[in-house]
Structure formats: C-alpha cells, structure tokens
C-alpha cells in the first residue's frame, strides 16, 4: 500500500489529522492497535477550550457539539469556608465547554466513515521504518493476521505515550523531561445530574476534589488518592461521603447530589515532554510527545493544537513543496506544550494536598491571591480557557 501520510494511532489526534488532511486533499491511512470500539469508549478528557471548539466547528465537526455540549463561563475555586467563582468570559472574553473525548471521537469516526478514508484497527507489531529517508514506511499485522507494509512520504506518530513512534527517534537525538506526582485521582462517573453550574476545584486538608460533568444527567467527579490506591477499598458510600466532605456539603444550603456510580478508575498524575517533535519525516503529536496532569484540562486540547499545526505544515509541504512550516513545527508546537505543562503543574501543585502545614499555607495564600487579584485571576483564566493554537 502507498499513501502520502501514514498516521499511527486512531485516537482523537490521529482521526483529526486525517480529517484535516482530507479536507486539504491530502491522502492518509490510519493504523491503530486497539479496536474501534475500544478507542470510541475510552473515558478521557471532557473540557474543550474555545480554540478547540472553534476549530472543530470550522472543519464541519461542530453540529452535535453545539447541540449537546455544556457551556461553562468559568470555574469555582474552593477551600474550607470559601467558594469563589472565576468568570472567564468577564476576565478574558472566552469560555470553555464540556464535551467528552468519547463524543469527539465518535464525531471524528463518523466523519472518517463518511469520507471513506482507510483505517486499520486491531493492528499488531506496528513499527515505523526509515524515518530519516524520503521513503519512510510502516509495517504491521492487520486484524486478519496478514503482514502489511504501508509506504508514505511522511509518518505522523499520534499513537500515545506507549506507541512505537517516539522510540523511533534515536536516543542520541531524543530528550525527555518527566515529573511524577505523589498522588493520583480516583475518578467516577455517576448517573446523577450535576450539583453545580460550573466546575468546582476544591482544596481540602483531606485532599483535592473536582466536580465536573458529562451531560445534564451524568456527573464526573474526582478525589485525590494515593498512586497505589486499591479501588476495592472504595465503596460507593465511602466515595460520596469523601466528596461531600471535601466539597463542604451543607454549607450555605449547597448539597451534593448522589446517584449510581457506573465507572471507577485511578488516574496517575505526571508531566512528560519529549523533544524534538519532528525527526526526518516522522512527526509526533499529542500524547506521543507530551503528557500533562489533568488538573489544567489541557491534554486533549494540546493534541488538537498539535494536529492543527501539523496539518497546515504537511499540507504546505506535500501540496506546495513549502518546507518552512514543517521545519518550524517542533519548535512552534513545543512553545505551547511547555506553557500548558507549566500551567497544569501550577494548578496541580496549588490544589493538591501535599507536604506539610507550611506547604498548605502557601497553597491557601496562592488561592487567596487568585480570587483577590484580577491580574492573577486573568492569568488563570487565559490559560484555562485556552491560548491561541499558534501560540
């Protein structure tokens, strides 16, 4: 087989790249190790920045998003005895919306099918080759057990942290930075209407808690726990009790609604960045190049920003022979990656209980600064609502 762009990974990053290239008349083929159903059902991010919403709308993926997403003006910052609303629209003229990654993925898969673009799911032994040459290719075994070779002009590695693309960059070239945090999130989905109009980020001596949502009828909630937390020790009653305590249920008449918990998982917390994001004719995007803790709601949005830049660069390269955008891709993308990595780290360290009482007082001081200083509030809002894709 031959294509212009071989895309390894058919999650949101790979699917969106295929969609954007298709609109520009550039042929691509997707290769994914998981099944389509597995990719479609993965519970991940739910907050879309304004620039992400604008891009999806511009490229014909905004109809269902406009109907079913939940618009959010801002967030609540909370600590015992205090809950303060940050109005992003007032502060920076932008807002965010809740629309789960599962829904974004479904929209992209429908667009893929409608356009008739090729995707191989349940591929094994996927490996990029000759990425430093002008004839790179990908080998894999398809779902029927047949060995395949996909020749291309460019390979896009959108295959996540554990995929083969990043390791195809030689050790002598590749650099990595990593921070592992001493806590994790216990995340739950519950069939209950949200108890809040905007997300609540709560600092508490027992640990951080977050109240998010997936729809008018489904809530997404998180508790700070140990990285090695045993889920079997967390009954539904224990989870609801801990959430009520950390959110201060009963204060000023506010109550936490409870309901059936349909999904539980423990999410590790880490920051990771790999450079460069381009080597020869191999380009990385999304989790293949960087991971951020979910506190800043940046993961999916960073992947979208990467792909938007990459699609422009590859279109210019493959349709016009212009190399400047492709040559600048890694540096341009990494500028935004490091900004979002810092913001995610800052939100994480401000809101999660760690260290001793001295650390706690520093955290509370920072929270008070944010809600008492419009400049500090604007900085948080600007980063949370999203920087321009070309930042």
């Amino acid at each position: 087989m031959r294509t212009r762009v071989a895309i390894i990974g058919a999650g949101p990053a790979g699917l969106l790249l295929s969609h954007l290239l298709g609109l520009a008349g550039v042929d691509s083929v997707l290769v994914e190790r998981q099944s389509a159903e597995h990719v479609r059902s993965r519970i991940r991010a739910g907050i879309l920045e304004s620039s992400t919403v604008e891009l999806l709308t511009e490229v014909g993926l905004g109809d269902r998003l406009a109907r079913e997403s939940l618009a959010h003006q801002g967030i609540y910052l909370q600590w015992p005895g205090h809950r303060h609303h940050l109005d992003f629209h007032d502060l920076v003229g932008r807002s965010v919306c809740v629309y789960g990654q599962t829904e974004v993925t479904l929209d992209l898969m429908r667009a893929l099918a409608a356009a008739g673009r090729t995707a191989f799911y349940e591929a094994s032994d996927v490996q990029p080759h000759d990425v430093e040459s002008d004839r790179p290719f990908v080998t894999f075994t398809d779902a029927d057990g047949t060995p395949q070779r996909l020749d291309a002009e460019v390979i896009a590695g959108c295959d996540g942290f554990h995929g083969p693309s990043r390791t195809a960059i030689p050790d002598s070239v590749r650099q990595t930075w990593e921070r592992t945090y001493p806590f994790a999130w216990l995340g739950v989905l519950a069939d209950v209407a949200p108890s809040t109009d905007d997300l609540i980020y709560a600092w508490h001596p027992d640990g951080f808690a977050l109240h998010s949502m997936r729809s008018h009828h489904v809530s997404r909630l998180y508790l700070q726990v140990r990285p090695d937390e045993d889920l079997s020790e967390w009954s539904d009653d224990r989870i609801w009790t801990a959430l009520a305590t950390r959110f201060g249920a009963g204060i000023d008449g506010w109550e936490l609604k409870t309901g059936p918990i349909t999904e539980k998982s423990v999410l590790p917390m880490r920051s990771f960045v790999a450079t460069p994001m381009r080597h020869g004719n191999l380009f990385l995007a999304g989790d293949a190049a960087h991971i951020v803790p979910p506190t800043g709601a940046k993961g999916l949005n960073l992947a979208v920003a990467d792909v938007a830049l990459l699609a422009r660069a590859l279109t210019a390269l493959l349709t016009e022979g212009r190399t400047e955008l492709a040559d600048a891709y890694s540096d341009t993308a990494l500028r935004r990656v490091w900004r979002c990595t810092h913001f995610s780290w800052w939100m994480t360290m401000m809101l999660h209980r760690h260290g001793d009482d001295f650390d706690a007082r520093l955290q509370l001081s920072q929270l008070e600064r944010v809600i008492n200083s419009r400049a500090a509030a604007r900085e948080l809002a600007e980063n949370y609502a999203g920087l321009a894709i070309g930042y």
Side-chain angles (χ1 to χ4, degrees):
M1 291 180 295
R2 173 167 288 280
T3 189
R4 304 208 75 183
V5 181
I7 303 174
I8 304 177
L15 286 165
L16 180 58
L17 179 60
S18 176
H19 182 77
L20 296 178
L21 292 174
L23 293 177
V26 178
D27 182 54
S28 65
V29 172
L30 288 149
V31 181
E32 166 62 48
R33 67 184 181 90
Q34 301 287 0
S35 69
E37 179 57 33
H38 179 89
V39 172
R40 188 165 48 241
S41 63
R42 282 189 294 217
I43 303 295
R44 292 290 189 273
I47 303 296
L48 301 186
E49 297 174 358
S50 57
S51 58
T52 297
V53 173
E54 290 166 5
L55 175 65
L56 294 176
T57 302
E58 288 170 3
V59 300
L61 299 169
D63 289 349
R64 200 164 68 92
L65 188 158
R67 291 195 309 270
E68 300 181 15
S69 65
L70 303 178
H72 285 274
Q73 287 286 99
I75 62 172
Y76 292 97
L77 288 180
Q78 175 181 311
W79 60 99
H82 302 267
R83 182 180 292 172
H84 299 270
H85 189 250
L86 297 183
D87 188 322
F88 293 167
H89 200 271
D90 171 63
L91 290 164
V92 295
R94 300 193 305 279
S95 56
V96 298
C97 76
V98 172
Y99 192 67
Q101 180 172 310
T102 52
E103 306 307 320
V104 175
T105 303
L106 178 58
D107 293 340
L108 286 164
M109 284 184 164
R110 288 174 173 173
L112 178 80
R117 292 189 296 274
T118 302
F120 290 88
Y121 289 94
E122 299 181 77
S124 58
D125 303 318
V126 183
Q127 191 62 46
H129 301 272
D130 291 355
V131 299
E132 296 176 349
S133 76
D134 59 359
R135 296 182 179 179
F137 62 97
V138 177
T139 58
F140 61 97
T141 302
D142 67 22
D144 295 326
T146 303
Q148 299 282 358
R149 170 172 167 149
L150 176 60
D151 290 281
E153 296 172 57
V154 166
I155 297 173
C158 304
D159 46 345
F161 181 81
H162 297 290
S165 295
R166 186 178 63 255
T167 56
I169 299 176
D171 292 343
S172 59
V173 175
R174 187 177 72 248
Q175 290 185 282
T176 60
W177 292 263
E178 187 167 11
R179 170 67 51 85
T180 301
Y181 298 93
F183 35 75
W185 279 5
L186 192 167
V188 302
L189 274 178
D191 285 340
V192 60
S195 304
T196 177
D197 54 343
D198 278 338
L199 281 71
I200 302 172
Y201 284 75
W203 182 99
H204 191 274
D206 293 348
F208 169 74
L210 171 62
H211 191 320
S212 184
M213 59 283 292
R214 282 297 178 267
S215 72
H216 292 292
H217 308 289
V218 177
S219 295
R220 182 71 163 152
L221 306 112
Y222 300 93
L223 289 164
Q224 178 185 341
V225 295
R226 303 187 316 270
D228 61 350
E229 199 72 44
D230 184 353
L231 271 179
S232 67
E233 297 179 357
W234 285 86
S235 66
D236 289 9
D237 285 344
R238 183 185 177 191
I239 290 170
W240 287 120
T241 298
L243 287 166
T245 298
R246 299 187 194 186
F247 288 130
I251 297 176
D252 297 329
W254 183 86
E255 294 295 338
L256 177 67
K257 300 173 185 176
T258 64
I261 292 176
T262 59
E263 191 265 346
K264 302 177 187 177
S265 59
V266 174
L267 293 74
M269 305 281 281
R270 61 176 170 171
S271 299
F272 176 87
V273 179
T275 64
M277 290 176 63
R278 180 208 180 166
H279 179 68
N281 279 311
L282 171 65
F283 296 78
L284 304 182
D287 288 0
H290 43 75
I291 302 285
V292 290
T295 325
K298 294 295 124 194
L300 176 59
N301 295 292
L302 262 182
V304 169
D306 288 350
V307 166
L309 292 172
L310 182 55
R312 293 171 194 164
L314 295 183
T315 299
L317 178 68
L318 298 175
T319 65
E320 303 172 33
R322 293 192 294 112
T323 64
E324 62 271 17
L325 293 179
D327 292 341
Y329 168 70
S330 182
D331 289 341
T332 304
L334 282 166
R335 184 165 59 246
R336 196 176 198 274
V337 166
W338 278 115
R339 173 84 298 274
C340 293
T341 297
H342 177 270
F343 176 68
S344 299
W345 166 85
W346 179 78
M347 286 282 285
T348 299
M349 299 309 291
M350 176 174 66
L351 289 161
H352 290 76
R353 187 71 175 91
H354 65 93
D356 55 19
D357 288 342
F358 183 82
D359 294 289
R361 289 308 312 172
L362 293 177
Q363 291 174 312
L364 293 172
S365 174
Q366 181 62 64
L367 286 165
E368 290 172 350
R369 168 68 178 170
V370 170
I371 61 96
N372 288 316
S373 164
R374 187 170 178 86
R378 280 178 55 87
E379 176 68 11
L380 188 155
E382 183 178 24
N383 283 272
Y384 195 105
L387 305 169
I389 282 178
Y391 171 86

